[in-house]
Amino acid sequence: MILLGFIIMVLGVLIGVAFLTLLERKILGYIQIRKGPNKLAIMGILQPFSDAIKLFSKEQTFPNFSNYLLYYFSPVISFLLSLIIWMLIPYYFNMISFNLGVLFFLCCTSVGVYLVMIAGWSSNSNYSLLGGLRAVAQTISYEVSLALILMSSILLIMSFNLFNFMIYQNLIWLIFVMFPLSLCLLSSMMAETNRTPFDFAEGESELVSGFNIEYSSGGFALIFLAEYSSILFMSMLFILIYMGGYVLSLFFYMKLVLISFIFIWVRGTLPRYRYDKLMYLAWKSYLPISLNFLLFFLGLKIIYMYMLFLV
């Protein structure tokens, strides 16, 4: 039954990802004063499926001097990894219950770094290697602040289980308690998923297309799916930690669409950062902020325990 539940969840995620790409193309279209995809079916609603069929039916090419096995399997494993992370959402039906959910999430995102590096290196192209190195440096930098920001929330709740976040946010959402940190987390998530304004993995003007330049057809589609699946997951995680947790209601899905919309809105609005400024932001801004907040919440927790002890 757990396996069946997992298969249903994966299908749901894939359909969600398909329509997230459509939503993005529509919103970016309207931001740029044009229509976006509108030919297939009503308002272009079948466009994602048409794109998927086109991409997976194209010929798979590979460079002669590439390390073929690593080149071929890194997008596949990257995609599988982005689906496996979805297991840690605290579902109400027969799925695995994670007591160490946040830890599992950090482990999976750390493994994703290796896959980007292998994808860039195994293509045996200078452009993809440079793109891979830049993407890895960026992801590792923002993972540090991401982990520290999550630590502040964990300190308040004293649990890695995401289900407990919902119980503790019954009366007040944590976004009101730690608003500056939630903004830091949102932008760290954007950097983690290689989205604008942090999309250096795809700086076309300097690196053609970053680590995925040699990928076409199916390989490119899998990297693309992995990226959008992680965007959807990051939106979900943000809601779980700061906006009331996993409550099965229409309002919950509206919150999910809102955070995903912010990801897209930022892409339509902001230009790309300069690379040194990106690193400066991670190490000189987010790291001190997250460390200070961590110490602040630690102090609060100690005072609270001391008060309890006195009572």
Side-chain angles (χ1 to χ4, degrees):
M1 289 302 283
I2 288 174
L3 189 66
L4 185 67
F6 187 65
I7 290 165
I8 292 167
M9 183 208 69
V10 165
L11 287 173
V13 169
L14 289 177
I15 292 165
V17 165
F19 286 109
L20 180 65
T21 60
L22 180 68
L23 177 76
E24 175 168 45
R25 290 171 70 179
K26 280 283 189 188
I27 290 168
L28 288 179
Y30 284 113
I31 285 172
Q32 295 159 2
I33 322 174
R34 56 186 176 83
K35 285 286 188 196
N38 62 348
K39 289 287 183 281
L40 280 172
I42 305 156
M43 295 163 62
I45 209 154
L46 293 178
Q47 186 69 45
F49 303 104
S50 162
D51 289 342
I53 293 164
K54 178 207 152 192
L55 278 169
F56 283 109
S57 59
K58 277 174 73 175
E59 184 188 356
Q60 177 81 45
T61 59
F62 62 94
N64 280 337
F65 297 105
S66 65
N67 196 328
Y68 184 70
L69 276 176
L70 292 176
Y71 168 82
Y72 190 83
F73 282 110
S74 56
V76 178
I77 298 167
S78 171
F79 177 58
L80 286 175
L81 198 67
S82 71
L83 291 180
I84 286 168
I85 304 180
W86 280 89
M87 284 201 306
L88 66 90
I89 302 292
Y91 299 97
Y92 290 124
F93 55 94
N94 57 335
M95 284 294 277
I96 302 153
S97 177
F98 267 93
N99 271 337
L100 301 171
V102 180
L103 216 56
F104 178 77
F105 160 70
L106 289 171
C107 291
C108 286
T109 48
S110 303
V111 173
V113 174
Y114 291 105
L115 293 165
V116 169
M117 191 169 68
I118 289 167
W121 171 79
S122 63
S123 307
N124 203 15
S125 147
N126 290 339
Y127 292 115
S128 59
L129 182 63
L130 279 170
L133 288 174
R134 278 167 51 130
V136 165
Q138 171 190 333
T139 315
I140 289 172
S141 302
Y142 280 90
E143 224 164 71
V144 176
S145 56
L146 193 74
L148 284 168
I149 291 165
L150 290 175
M151 279 290 288
S152 295
S153 311
I154 292 160
L155 259 179
L156 284 184
I157 283 162
M158 296 304 266
S159 166
F160 286 114
N161 194 338
L162 285 168
F163 198 75
N164 290 350
F165 279 91
M166 187 193 82
I167 298 162
Y168 275 81
Q169 290 181 84
N170 198 15
L171 296 175
I172 184 168
W173 290 357
L174 284 184
I175 195 167
F176 300 119
V177 180
M178 39 175 86
F179 185 69
L181 264 191
S182 66
L183 295 180
C184 289
L185 185 76
L186 193 64
S187 48
S188 293
M189 283 174 168
M190 283 175 188
E192 195 69 24
T193 48
N194 290 333
R195 296 288 294 173
T196 315
F198 309 103
D199 57 339
F200 292 92
E202 303 201 356
E204 288 92 352
S205 52
E206 7 12 333
L207 293 175
V208 192
S209 181
F211 70 95
N212 56 6
I213 177 168
E214 299 296 348
Y215 287 96
S216 61
S217 63
F220 170 75
L222 288 173
I223 289 171
F224 188 74
L225 283 171
E227 183 187 323
Y228 278 82
S229 163
S230 58
I231 288 168
L232 211 52
F233 178 78
M234 291 295 193
S235 309
M236 179 82 91
L237 192 71
F238 187 83
I239 289 161
L240 286 180
I241 292 169
Y242 287 119
M243 293 174 75
Y246 185 80
V247 186
L248 268 181
S249 64
L250 184 65
F251 186 48
F252 169 76
Y253 291 105
M254 283 164 69
K255 285 188 284 188
L256 185 63
V257 171
L258 173 72
I259 303 295
S260 303
F261 169 75
I262 289 170
F263 271 84
I264 297 164
W265 187 16
V266 165
R267 182 177 178 181
T269 313
L270 299 176
R272 192 179 294 126
Y273 259 86
R274 218 171 63 200
Y275 197 77
D276 57 316
K277 288 197 173 177
L278 166 98
M279 288 302 178
Y280 189 91
L281 184 72
W283 296 107
K284 297 281 179 73
S285 298
Y286 286 175
L287 189 62
I289 288 168
S290 50
L291 276 171
N292 281 323
F293 266 103
L294 188 60
L295 290 172
F296 171 65
F297 286 116
L298 191 61
L300 278 184
K301 199 73 183 174
I302 291 166
I303 291 165
Y304 172 69
M305 301 299 267
Y306 183 65
M307 297 288 279
L308 276 181
F309 180 69
L310 283 180
V311 170

PDB file of all heavy atoms in Angstrom, residues 111-132:
ATOM      1  N   VAL A 111      23.151  15.772  -1.987  1.00  0.00           N
ATOM      2  CA  VAL A 111      23.493  14.787  -3.022  1.00  0.00           C
ATOM      3  C   VAL A 111      23.249  15.370  -4.416  1.00  0.00           C
ATOM      4  O   VAL A 111      23.994  15.089  -5.363  1.00  0.00           O
ATOM      5  CB  VAL A 111      22.685  13.472  -2.815  1.00  0.00           C
ATOM      6  CG1 VAL A 111      22.901  12.512  -3.973  1.00  0.00           C
ATOM      7  CG2 VAL A 111      23.108  12.807  -1.520  1.00  0.00           C
ATOM      8  N   GLY A 112      22.222  16.231  -4.524  1.00  0.00           N
ATOM      9  CA  GLY A 112      21.924  16.870  -5.808  1.00  0.00           C
ATOM     10  C   GLY A 112      23.092  17.673  -6.364  1.00  0.00           C
ATOM     11  O   GLY A 112      23.259  17.790  -7.586  1.00  0.00           O
ATOM     12  N   VAL A 113      23.927  18.215  -5.469  1.00  0.00           N
ATOM     13  CA  VAL A 113      25.111  18.984  -5.887  1.00  0.00           C
ATOM     14  C   VAL A 113      26.064  18.104  -6.698  1.00  0.00           C
ATOM     15  O   VAL A 113      26.583  18.514  -7.730  1.00  0.00           O
ATOM     16  CB  VAL A 113      25.845  19.546  -4.642  1.00  0.00           C
ATOM     17  CG1 VAL A 113      27.140  20.218  -5.040  1.00  0.00           C
ATOM     18  CG2 VAL A 113      24.965  20.524  -3.912  1.00  0.00           C
ATOM     19  N   TYR A 114      26.267  16.873  -6.220  1.00  0.00           N
ATOM     20  CA  TYR A 114      27.174  15.950  -6.914  1.00  0.00           C
ATOM     21  C   TYR A 114      26.682  15.659  -8.332  1.00  0.00           C
ATOM     22  O   TYR A 114      27.475  15.542  -9.260  1.00  0.00           O
ATOM     23  CB  TYR A 114      27.291  14.626  -6.147  1.00  0.00           C
ATOM     24  CG  TYR A 114      28.020  14.752  -4.848  1.00  0.00           C
ATOM     25  CD1 TYR A 114      27.342  14.731  -3.636  1.00  0.00           C
ATOM     26  CD2 TYR A 114      29.405  14.907  -4.813  1.00  0.00           C
ATOM     27  CE1 TYR A 114      27.998  14.853  -2.432  1.00  0.00           C
ATOM     28  CE2 TYR A 114      30.088  15.026  -3.620  1.00  0.00           C
ATOM     29  CZ  TYR A 114      29.380  15.007  -2.438  1.00  0.00           C
ATOM     30  OH  TYR A 114      30.043  15.131  -1.249  1.00  0.00           O
ATOM     31  N   LEU A 115      25.347  15.537  -8.466  1.00  0.00           N
ATOM     32  CA  LEU A 115      24.794  15.186  -9.782  1.00  0.00           C
ATOM     33  C   LEU A 115      25.011  16.306 -10.793  1.00  0.00           C
ATOM     34  O   LEU A 115      25.308  16.048 -11.950  1.00  0.00           O
ATOM     35  CB  LEU A 115      23.310  14.852  -9.639  1.00  0.00           C
ATOM     36  CG  LEU A 115      23.062  13.580  -8.830  1.00  0.00           C
ATOM     37  CD1 LEU A 115      21.618  13.470  -8.411  1.00  0.00           C
ATOM     38  CD2 LEU A 115      23.487  12.349  -9.613  1.00  0.00           C
ATOM     39  N   VAL A 116      24.875  17.550 -10.326  1.00  0.00           N
ATOM     40  CA  VAL A 116      25.147  18.696 -11.207  1.00  0.00           C
ATOM     41  C   VAL A 116      26.615  18.686 -11.632  1.00  0.00           C
ATOM     42  O   VAL A 116      26.952  18.881 -12.806  1.00  0.00           O
ATOM     43  CB  VAL A 116      24.803  20.030 -10.492  1.00  0.00           C
ATOM     44  CG1 VAL A 116      25.326  21.218 -11.277  1.00  0.00           C
ATOM     45  CG2 VAL A 116      23.306  20.148 -10.307  1.00  0.00           C
ATOM     46  N   MET A 117      27.494  18.400 -10.663  1.00  0.00           N
ATOM     47  CA  MET A 117      28.934  18.378 -10.945  1.00  0.00           C
ATOM     48  C   MET A 117      29.273  17.271 -11.946  1.00  0.00           C
ATOM     49  O   MET A 117      30.026  17.480 -12.902  1.00  0.00           O
ATOM     50  CB  MET A 117      29.688  18.155  -9.641  1.00  0.00           C
ATOM     51  CG  MET A 117      31.191  18.361  -9.731  1.00  0.00           C
ATOM     52  SD  MET A 117      31.924  18.390  -8.094  1.00  0.00           S
ATOM     53  CE  MET A 117      31.707  16.710  -7.559  1.00  0.00           C
ATOM     54  N   ILE A 118      28.694  16.085 -11.728  1.00  0.00           N
ATOM     55  CA  ILE A 118      28.960  14.942 -12.626  1.00  0.00           C
ATOM     56  C   ILE A 118      28.407  15.215 -14.015  1.00  0.00           C
ATOM     57  O   ILE A 118      29.053  14.922 -15.020  1.00  0.00           O
ATOM     58  CB  ILE A 118      28.364  13.649 -12.025  1.00  0.00           C
ATOM     59  CG1 ILE A 118      29.166  13.218 -10.804  1.00  0.00           C
ATOM     60  CG2 ILE A 118      28.353  12.524 -13.048  1.00  0.00           C
ATOM     61  CD1 ILE A 118      28.498  12.149  -9.962  1.00  0.00           C
ATOM     62  N   ALA A 119      27.208  15.819 -14.080  1.00  0.00           N
ATOM     63  CA  ALA A 119      26.610  16.137 -15.386  1.00  0.00           C
ATOM     64  C   ALA A 119      27.501  17.103 -16.163  1.00  0.00           C
ATOM     65  O   ALA A 119      27.698  16.958 -17.371  1.00  0.00           O
ATOM     66  CB  ALA A 119      25.223  16.731 -15.196  1.00  0.00           C
ATOM     67  N   GLY A 120      28.051  18.103 -15.451  1.00  0.00           N
ATOM     68  CA  GLY A 120      28.940  19.074 -16.111  1.00  0.00           C
ATOM     69  C   GLY A 120      30.257  18.462 -16.532  1.00  0.00           C
ATOM     70  O   GLY A 120      30.750  18.711 -17.635  1.00  0.00           O
ATOM     71  N   TRP A 121      30.837  17.612 -15.679  1.00  0.00           N
ATOM     72  CA  TRP A 121      32.159  17.041 -15.953  1.00  0.00           C
ATOM     73  C   TRP A 121      32.099  15.953 -17.023  1.00  0.00           C
ATOM     74  O   TRP A 121      32.942  15.902 -17.916  1.00  0.00           O
ATOM     75  CB  TRP A 121      32.735  16.465 -14.653  1.00  0.00           C
ATOM     76  CG  TRP A 121      33.984  15.676 -14.865  1.00  0.00           C
ATOM     77  CD1 TRP A 121      35.241  16.174 -15.043  1.00  0.00           C
ATOM     78  CD2 TRP A 121      34.106  14.258 -14.966  1.00  0.00           C
ATOM     79  NE1 TRP A 121      36.135  15.152 -15.232  1.00  0.00           N
ATOM     80  CE2 TRP A 121      35.459  13.960 -15.183  1.00  0.00           C
ATOM     81  CE3 TRP A 121      33.188  13.203 -14.881  1.00  0.00           C
ATOM     82  CZ2 TRP A 121      35.930  12.661 -15.329  1.00  0.00           C
ATOM     83  CZ3 TRP A 121      33.645  11.910 -15.011  1.00  0.00           C
ATOM     84  CH2 TRP A 121      35.006  11.644 -15.232  1.00  0.00           C
ATOM     85  N   SER A 122      31.072  15.087 -16.950  1.00  0.00           N
ATOM     86  CA  SER A 122      31.040  13.920 -17.846  1.00  0.00           C
ATOM     87  C   SER A 122      30.768  14.289 -19.299  1.00  0.00           C
ATOM     88  O   SER A 122      31.057  13.509 -20.200  1.00  0.00           O
ATOM     89  CB  SER A 122      30.001  12.905 -17.365  1.00  0.00           C
ATOM     90  OG  SER A 122      28.720  13.488 -17.417  1.00  0.00           O
ATOM     91  N   SER A 123      30.223  15.495 -19.548  1.00  0.00           N
ATOM     92  CA  SER A 123      29.997  15.915 -20.941  1.00  0.00           C
ATOM     93  C   SER A 123      31.306  16.154 -21.674  1.00  0.00           C
ATOM     94  O   SER A 123      31.341  16.210 -22.902  1.00  0.00           O
ATOM     95  CB  SER A 123      29.172  17.206 -20.979  1.00  0.00           C
ATOM     96  OG  SER A 123      28.002  17.045 -20.226  1.00  0.00           O
ATOM     97  N   ASN A 124      32.386  16.353 -20.919  1.00  0.00           N
ATOM     98  CA  ASN A 124      33.720  16.600 -21.476  1.00  0.00           C
ATOM     99  C   ASN A 124      33.744  17.803 -22.404  1.00  0.00           C
ATOM    100  O   ASN A 124      34.316  17.768 -23.485  1.00  0.00           O
ATOM    101  CB  ASN A 124      34.246  15.347 -22.204  1.00  0.00           C
ATOM    102  CG  ASN A 124      35.762  15.369 -22.283  1.00  0.00           C
ATOM    103  OD1 ASN A 124      36.414  16.131 -21.577  1.00  0.00           O
ATOM    104  ND2 ASN A 124      36.315  14.548 -23.138  1.00  0.00           N
ATOM    105  N   SER A 125      33.077  18.868 -21.939  1.00  0.00           N
ATOM    106  CA  SER A 125      33.087  20.122 -22.697  1.00  0.00           C
ATOM    107  C   SER A 125      33.470  21.218 -21.716  1.00  0.00           C
ATOM    108  O   SER A 125      33.047  21.200 -20.567  1.00  0.00           O
ATOM    109  CB  SER A 125      31.686  20.376 -23.270  1.00  0.00           C
ATOM    110  OG  SER A 125      31.422  21.750 -23.312  1.00  0.00           O
ATOM    111  N   ASN A 126      34.311  22.142 -22.171  1.00  0.00           N
ATOM    112  CA  ASN A 126      34.776  23.211 -21.260  1.00  0.00           C
ATOM    113  C   ASN A 126      33.624  24.050 -20.729  1.00  0.00           C
ATOM    114  O   ASN A 126      33.614  24.449 -19.571  1.00  0.00           O
ATOM    115  CB  ASN A 126      35.775  24.127 -21.980  1.00  0.00           C
ATOM    116  CG  ASN A 126      37.088  23.400 -22.227  1.00  0.00           C
ATOM    117  OD1 ASN A 126      37.378  22.413 -21.561  1.00  0.00           O
ATOM    118  ND2 ASN A 126      37.848  23.861 -23.191  1.00  0.00           N
ATOM    119  N   TYR A 127      32.662  24.319 -21.613  1.00  0.00           N
ATOM    120  CA  TYR A 127      31.527  25.171 -21.208  1.00  0.00           C
ATOM    121  C   TYR A 127      30.717  24.498 -20.106  1.00  0.00           C
ATOM    122  O   TYR A 127      30.356  25.119 -19.123  1.00  0.00           O
ATOM    123  CB  TYR A 127      30.619  25.457 -22.404  1.00  0.00           C
ATOM    124  CG  TYR A 127      31.267  26.334 -23.433  1.00  0.00           C
ATOM    125  CD1 TYR A 127      31.551  25.861 -24.710  1.00  0.00           C
ATOM    126  CD2 TYR A 127      31.598  27.655 -23.122  1.00  0.00           C
ATOM    127  CE1 TYR A 127      32.156  26.663 -25.653  1.00  0.00           C
ATOM    128  CE2 TYR A 127      32.197  28.471 -24.058  1.00  0.00           C
ATOM    129  CZ  TYR A 127      32.474  27.982 -25.319  1.00  0.00           C
ATOM    130  OH  TYR A 127      33.067  28.786 -26.240  1.00  0.00           O
ATOM    131  N   SER A 128      30.427  23.201 -20.299  1.00  0.00           N
ATOM    132  CA  SER A 128      29.592  22.518 -19.306  1.00  0.00           C
ATOM    133  C   SER A 128      30.351  22.342 -17.995  1.00  0.00           C
ATOM    134  O   SER A 128      29.759  22.412 -16.914  1.00  0.00           O
ATOM    135  CB  SER A 128      29.110  21.174 -19.826  1.00  0.00           C
ATOM    136  OG  SER A 128      30.190  20.356 -20.154  1.00  0.00           O
ATOM    137  N   LEU A 129      31.665  22.140 -18.065  1.00  0.00           N
ATOM    138  CA  LEU A 129      32.468  22.000 -16.836  1.00  0.00           C
ATOM    139  C   LEU A 129      32.453  23.303 -16.038  1.00  0.00           C
ATOM    140  O   LEU A 129      32.228  23.297 -14.820  1.00  0.00           O
ATOM    141  CB  LEU A 129      33.912  21.603 -17.182  1.00  0.00           C
ATOM    142  CG  LEU A 129      34.833  21.376 -15.989  1.00  0.00           C
ATOM    143  CD1 LEU A 129      34.334  20.223 -15.147  1.00  0.00           C
ATOM    144  CD2 LEU A 129      36.253  21.104 -16.446  1.00  0.00           C
ATOM    145  N   LEU A 130      32.661  24.427 -16.750  1.00  0.00           N
ATOM    146  CA  LEU A 130      32.627  25.737 -16.080  1.00  0.00           C
ATOM    147  C   LEU A 130      31.259  25.992 -15.469  1.00  0.00           C
ATOM    148  O   LEU A 130      31.140  26.441 -14.330  1.00  0.00           O
ATOM    149  CB  LEU A 130      32.955  26.842 -17.079  1.00  0.00           C
ATOM    150  CG  LEU A 130      34.434  27.074 -17.371  1.00  0.00           C
ATOM    151  CD1 LEU A 130      34.584  28.011 -18.559  1.00  0.00           C
ATOM    152  CD2 LEU A 130      35.113  27.687 -16.158  1.00  0.00           C
ATOM    153  N   GLY A 131      30.214  25.694 -16.239  1.00  0.00           N
ATOM    154  CA  GLY A 131      28.839  25.888 -15.750  1.00  0.00           C
ATOM    155  C   GLY A 131      28.563  25.028 -14.535  1.00  0.00           C
ATOM    156  O   GLY A 131      27.954  25.486 -13.563  1.00  0.00           O
ATOM    157  N   GLY A 132      29.045  23.778 -14.578  1.00  0.00           N
ATOM    158  CA  GLY A 132      28.856  22.859 -13.453  1.00  0.00           C
ATOM    159  C   GLY A 132      29.549  23.369 -12.199  1.00  0.00           C
ATOM    160  O   GLY A 132      28.975  23.351 -11.112  1.00  0.00           O
TER     161      GLY A 132
END
